[in-house]
Amino acid sequence: MSFSGKVVIVTGASSGIGAVTAEAFAKRGAKVVLVGRNIANLKTTETACKAANPNAELLLIAADVTVDAERIINSTLEKFGKLDVLVNNAGILAYGNILDIDVEQFDSILNTNLRAVFLLTKLAAPHLIKTQGNIVNVSSINGLRAFPNASSYSTSKAALDQFTRCIALDLAAKNVRVNAVNPGVVVTNIHTRAGLTKEQYANHLRRAKETHALGRVGTTKEIADTIAFLASDEASFITGATVPVDGGKHAMCPR
Ligand code: NDP
């Protein structure tokens, strides 16, 4: 898989799956646009990308995807002149029963996980048509299956899956592919950022041995490599797909 000369935007490149995805593209020769809010963490990802490929051309954009979509696309075009791949990875998680959560949680999750993806997709699409590029959205097992105490997040990801399929059809005639990955549990900052205590998180990871058929959680690299595959020419006949990268979790049913 080579992305030599390709321009790739990765949102949420300052942490977790996005950081390792940026590195995966840099390693394969892409010019990578690293988008995130935490500048210090973006710089850490920059260092990792340079370590993976000292010749990697990188652009760091400190931005909030919920308000800066236009600036993200414009800065990319100003710096690199085109766009080949958009990875919509930035996302947030929050927990809570419908009896306890408020509409602010719902709005903030939908705003980040769905509305920002709509905006970035709309602004990127004309440029992806020019390059015959593609989009990879980072959804979740929560898009494919229902879980208690995670309705806002799961709804945002289920909607993202449907958005992926619809935009794949909208852009198919223009030969622009649109796919999603649906990770199972992967060790990143997302769960503690959502409010899990250290102990709750350790318990969540312990339980993952039973909730994932392969008996373990996934790695950021396993997700990043699948994203890179879907974005590559090797996946040229794949569009509208939501690909579970979850150790078989989607195939399981409690008994
Ligand atoms: P992290 O919390 O480690 O990283 C989230 C990233 O999203 C950070 O880089 C963060 O940037 C960025 N981000 C969040 N909100 C915004 C915003 N408004 N503007 C710009 N950037 C933003 O989580 P993960 O790496 O785990 O999450 C990445 C994606 O993977 C998410 O979409 C998540 O839903 C999905 N996922 C994760 C799973 C897991 O188990 N880890 C499982 C299934 C799906 P910053 O820190 O700079 O604010």
Side-chain angles (χ1 to χ4, degrees):
M1 263 189 298
S2 169
F3 288 91
S4 182
K6 304 275 186 195
V7 177
V8 181
I9 295 177
V10 181
T11 68
S14 46
S15 180
I17 291 169
V20 175
T21 299
E23 203 182 315
F25 280 109
K27 190 173 84 183
R28 294 172 171 94
K31 301 172 185 182
V32 190
V33 181
L34 314 176
V35 179
R37 292 171 299 190
N38 184 315
I39 298 170
N41 288 346
L42 276 182
K43 288 192 172 147
T44 304
T45 305
E46 178 184 36
T47 305
C49 290
K50 284 280 183 195
N53 176 3
N55 298 320
E57 286 186 60
L58 305 168
L59 171 64
L60 276 61
I61 305 181
D64 181 334
V65 290
T66 65
V67 290
D68 296 319
E70 206 166 335
R71 181 162 64 83
I72 292 165
I73 302 298
N74 288 346
S75 306
T76 301
L77 296 171
E78 268 164 38
K79 168 83 176 174
F80 293 127
K82 64 166 185 164
L83 175 64
D84 295 282
V85 177
L86 170 64
V87 180
N88 284 308
N89 163 77
I92 53 172
L93 165 69
Y95 298 107
N97 191 288
I98 188 63
L99 297 174
D100 306 316
I101 59 175
D102 50 29
V103 74
E104 281 75 24
Q105 181 201 90
F106 184 83
D107 285 346
S108 117
I109 290 198
L110 271 285
N111 206 15
T112 305
N113 295 4
L114 189 63
R115 189 176 183 275
V117 175
F118 172 91
L119 284 173
L120 283 164
T121 300
K122 181 153 182 60
L123 293 166
H127 305 287
L128 294 173
I129 291 168
K130 282 185 207 151
T131 56
Q132 297 288 277
N134 69 82
I135 299 173
V136 182
N137 294 324
V138 180
S139 181
S140 167
I141 179 68
N142 291 56
L144 302 170
R145 295 289 176 269
F147 300 92
N149 299 315
S151 59
S152 302
Y153 180 75
S154 303
T155 301
S156 76
K157 294 300 190 179
L160 180 60
D161 286 351
Q162 187 68 313
F163 184 70
T164 301
R165 288 184 284 267
C166 290
I167 306 309
L169 299 187
D170 278 0
L171 298 180
K174 306 286 187 191
N175 203 32
V176 170
R177 299 181 299 107
V178 186
N179 292 294
V181 291
N182 296 69
V185 175
V186 178
V187 177
T188 67
N189 294 324
I190 199 166
H191 302 96
T192 47
R193 279 179 115 174
L196 286 195
T197 63
K198 259 188 181 168
E199 200 185 335
Q200 286 168 330
Y201 188 46
N203 193 36
H204 185 58
L205 294 180
R206 250 193 315 275
R207 271 182 32 78
K209 292 194 172 84
E210 288 160 27
T211 56
H212 294 64
L214 290 179
R216 64 171 176 87
V217 297
T219 66
T220 48
K221 184 174 181 299
E222 287 170 321
I223 313 303
D225 286 346
T226 310
I227 293 169
F229 166 70
L230 287 172
S232 74
D233 290 343
E234 277 80 354
S236 54
F237 204 46
I238 302 178
T239 197
T242 48
V243 180
V245 192
D246 66 350
K249 188 173 183 179
H250 71 282
M252 295 173 74
C253 186
R255 57 187 313 212

